[in-house]
Amino acid sequence: MTTPSSPLITLRDPASAAAEAYRTLRTNIQFSSLDRPIRTLLITSTAPDENKSITLANLAVTMAQAEQRVLMVDCDLRRPSLHTIFGLPNEPGLTSAILEQRASELPIQATAVPGLSLLASGPLPPRPADLLGSRRMSTLLERLHANADIVLIDTPPVVAVTDAAVLAPKTDGVLLVLQAGHTRRDRAREARQILEKVKAHIIGVVLNNARLEGGYSY
């Protein structure tokens, strides 16, 4: 159940222009992967407060509404927020699964949205990049494929720390989130260069808070 202040606009006001924009984003991602199927999609930004986690959460909702099995994984091991958005506990989670490395079920939590689940971050480690770049993380990603049609991965801003750059080559695609009137152009260029340097597959950019053009509904 959403509240009037919920960041999940796709649930709070599904008829809004913003919700329609997320559905358009979902469609664009689907078409971009016709020749190269995307099972794991990493979402990052250039700096904090560009709403990357909210973007991921709303995109995940629209994908689940299209009858896909969607798994969100909070790999922002510095400022995790997906559990807060969906009102779920943060432990146990990703780090618990990596450190325990057992064949038991992963601590995946169902959300209130049918078909949408979350693997929260779990306890925050002292060196997140080392954990995300480990072989255990690669093994875990392979296990996650069996639990969903698509896995959406939230990471810290790519320019601020190395976490996203370490994890990006392990995924099928990267979506870069920018914010109109906030993201600096040099930061956006730097983010693209960092991702290209590690040979990440950048499928596109999301521009948040862009001003509506006259004559368009989104």
Side-chain angles (χ1 to χ4, degrees), residues 143-181:
R143 291 184 63 190
L144 295 177
H145 287 165
N147 292 274
D149 297 318
I150 186 166
V151 179
L152 301 180
I153 302 170
D154 192 9
T155 65
V158 67
V159 175
V161 290
T162 61
D163 302 21
V166 165
L167 191 55
K170 302 177 186 289
T171 65
D172 299 322
V174 175
L175 196 62
L176 183 61
V177 177
L178 309 179
Q179 185 161 330

Side-chain angles (χ1 to χ4, degrees), residues 52-104:
K52 64 174 176 61
S53 300
I54 293 174
T55 298
L56 183 152
N58 280 285
L59 175 61
V61 169
T62 64
M63 286 181 166
Q65 289 172 337
E67 300 184 349
Q68 287 184 286
R69 293 181 305 149
V70 184
L71 172 59
M72 302 174 293
V73 181
D74 201 335
C75 291
D76 190 336
L77 304 181
R78 300 169 190 272
R79 294 174 57 185
S81 61
L82 290 179
H83 66 288
T84 301
I85 294 174
F86 287 91
L88 297 170
N90 198 38
E91 299 181 19
L94 172 72
T95 55
S96 312
I98 292 176
L99 294 176
E100 290 175 8
Q101 187 105 107
R102 294 184 304 188
S104 60

Side-chain angles (χ1 to χ4, degrees), residues 114-157:
L116 179 60
S117 54
L118 169 68
L119 178 59
S121 73
L124 303 186
R127 297 188 302 276
D130 291 348
L131 200 66
L132 296 176
S134 68
R135 290 183 180 179
R136 289 189 176 190
M137 183 65 197
S138 299
T139 301
L140 180 61
L141 283 176
E142 293 176 3
R143 291 184 63 190
L144 295 177
H145 287 165
N147 292 274
D149 297 318
I150 186 166
V151 179
L152 301 180
I153 302 170
D154 192 9
T155 65

